[in-house]
Amino acid sequence: MQIPELIREVQMGTFNRLHLIRQVDLFTLRLFLSAIEERQIGLAAIRENIAPSTATKRIQMLEDIAGVELLERGPKGVVPSAAGLVLERCARSIFGDLDAMRSEIALLTGAVRGELSIVSARTIIVPLLARVIGEFGGEYPQVELALEETENADVVRRVARGDADLGVFAAAHHLDLSGVDVTPYRQDRLVAVVPPNHALATRDAVGFRELAAGGLIAPSSLLGAFRAAAVRLGMEFGSPHRVRSGEVAIGLVQAGLGVTVVPECLLDYALLSRVAVLDFDEHWAVRHIHLATPSARPKSPATRAFIAQLLDRPLDGDATVREVLRTPAPPTWVILTD
């Protein structure tokens, strides 16, 4: 595929083409790419589920065959050398060709099968993806689906470098969308959550400035947005509690430890009886959820089927989650028999 180009560009007399073909497997190339991305061979070993000593030996073997150092070692980790950058580019091309081959062969079989890897953030997985994934598994049992939770900021990066077939993420101004194709999925809103006895609890809506003055608990996915809002208002933002998820932030609000802002899709019936939920009166309160796929390779049949299933299953039409939740639940009838 790209091996001849690799040999020409590195231009090393000791580069043994026969050893390259016989001894370097795809897993070693993937380990090499992981070492570049993680910047440490030890972290790459964890990511690829092998012993650090084995990972080190594989990288050293690769360098022995190349006849040149591929990774420059330093106190802060590893970075690719000039030859390593050539190998990185060619290895990514090889894996891209393999993915394309997999997709084309799957098309010839006529059945949706194979592997599908998805990355997304917790605030999207729980309310928006879990149900669809369950339904997809029932409709396409021959697809091996792997879901990984990561930070929203990492979703696009993981998809762009080919670590996942599909990413579901919330749009943000700082995200670099180069290397991915983006499909709009849906919208939801951020809402304010305060204790039921809080001074703001009787309000219909509240802005960021008032919440920030009342001990605003910051979920990690919204910390950047909070800081940017504070800068626009000419104020400093400091949160008494910084947590990874909106669910934890809500739990702290229930305990009376502050107020928070979370995606509306995290609400449920039980929660509305324990906290007060207000409209979040900011222009950035609307959250745009998008789908990302690698632009360098065609979508597999499994990826296309899953995207079609996502776009075909809106949540409760155009009604907001709170409108749905505030609709009285139908009564439960108990039939007594003799």
Side-chain angles (χ1 to χ4, degrees):
M1 289 173 262
Q2 298 292 328
I3 298 302
E5 180 185 357
L6 173 61
I7 297 173
R8 290 195 304 271
E9 291 197 44
V10 177
Q11 294 182 343
M12 297 174 298
T14 57
F15 198 110
N16 191 311
R17 182 175 183 273
L18 187 60
H19 285 175
L20 178 71
I21 295 173
R22 290 183 173 180
Q23 297 182 27
V24 178
D25 54 54
L26 293 175
F27 179 74
T28 299
L29 290 179
R30 190 174 74 174
L31 176 66
F32 173 74
L33 295 178
S34 294
I36 293 175
E37 292 162 3
E38 298 291 347
R39 301 181 67 87
Q40 288 187 12
I41 295 177
L43 293 179
I46 294 173
R47 177 169 161 182
E48 301 299 341
N49 197 29
I50 63 172
S53 59
T54 303
T56 300
K57 289 178 181 178
R58 281 179 173 265
I59 296 295
Q60 290 175 343
M61 179 198 72
L62 191 59
E63 290 179 319
D64 289 342
I65 293 173
V68 69
E69 185 179 63
L70 298 172
L71 295 176
E72 296 176 355
R73 281 79 166 170
K76 294 185 178 180
V78 299
V79 294
S81 65
L85 289 173
V86 175
L87 179 58
E88 177 191 7
R89 174 167 55 81
C90 294
R92 293 194 188 282
S93 178
I94 289 170
F95 285 113
D97 288 344
L98 287 172
D99 287 329
M101 178 183 68
R102 182 188 68 175
S103 298
E104 291 181 30
I105 291 176
L107 285 173
L108 293 174
T109 65
V112 177
R113 64 183 70 195
E115 299 175 351
L116 172 61
S117 57
I118 302 172
V119 291
S120 188
R122 179 179 176 83
T123 56
I124 296 174
I125 292 173
V126 175
L128 302 182
L129 295 184
R131 182 182 65 181
V132 180
I133 290 174
E135 294 173 351
F136 184 84
E139 292 186 29
Y140 300 97
Q142 293 180 302
V143 175
E144 183 178 342
L145 191 151
L147 172 66
E148 182 177 351
E149 177 190 353
T150 187
E151 296 296 330
N152 188 72
D154 290 333
V155 172
V156 174
R157 186 160 50 244
R158 297 284 302 277
V159 173
R161 69 191 189 196
D163 287 349
D165 300 307
L166 175 68
V168 188
F169 68 99
H173 69 278
H174 62 277
L175 292 180
D176 179 8
L177 300 180
S178 59
V180 299
D181 294 328
V182 175
T183 302
Y185 172 33
R186 60 176 303 137
Q187 295 180 4
D188 69 357
R189 291 187 59 84
L190 299 175
V191 294
V193 182
V194 305
N197 58 352
H198 194 277
L200 296 172
T202 58
R203 298 269 295 274
D204 291 327
V206 64
F208 175 80
R209 184 187 294 275
E210 294 169 290
L211 291 171
L216 180 57
I217 300 166
S220 61
S221 61
L222 292 175
L223 184 57
F226 289 173
R227 288 172 173 166
V231 169
R232 289 194 296 269
L233 293 172
M235 57 186 291
E236 293 186 3
F237 173 70
S239 176
H241 308 288
R242 296 180 185 179
V243 297
R244 288 182 58 85
S245 71
E247 291 93 338
V248 173
I250 292 172
L252 294 180
V253 170
Q254 293 182 63
L257 297 178
V259 299
T260 194
V261 173
V262 297
E264 187 178 40
C265 58
L266 294 183
L267 306 182
D268 58 29
Y269 281 107
L271 178 63
L272 294 181
S273 66
R274 299 193 297 269
V275 297
V277 179
L278 292 66
D279 286 331
F280 186 47
D281 190 16
E282 296 291 344
H283 70 276
W284 47 277
V286 176
R287 200 171 65 140
H288 299 272
I289 311 299
H290 295 319
L291 311 177
T293 53
S295 57
R297 67 176 191 238
K299 300 181 186 70
S300 69
T303 302
R304 290 200 300 270
F306 188 79
I307 291 175
Q309 191 147 323
L310 281 175
L311 299 179
D312 191 44
R313 286 163 170 75
L315 178 62
D316 300 309
D318 295 327
T320 67
V321 175
R322 273 184 298 159
E323 288 172 346
V324 174
L325 294 178
R326 285 171 175 168
T327 301
T332 301
W333 297 97
V334 179
I335 300 176
L336 301 179
T337 59
D338 293 335

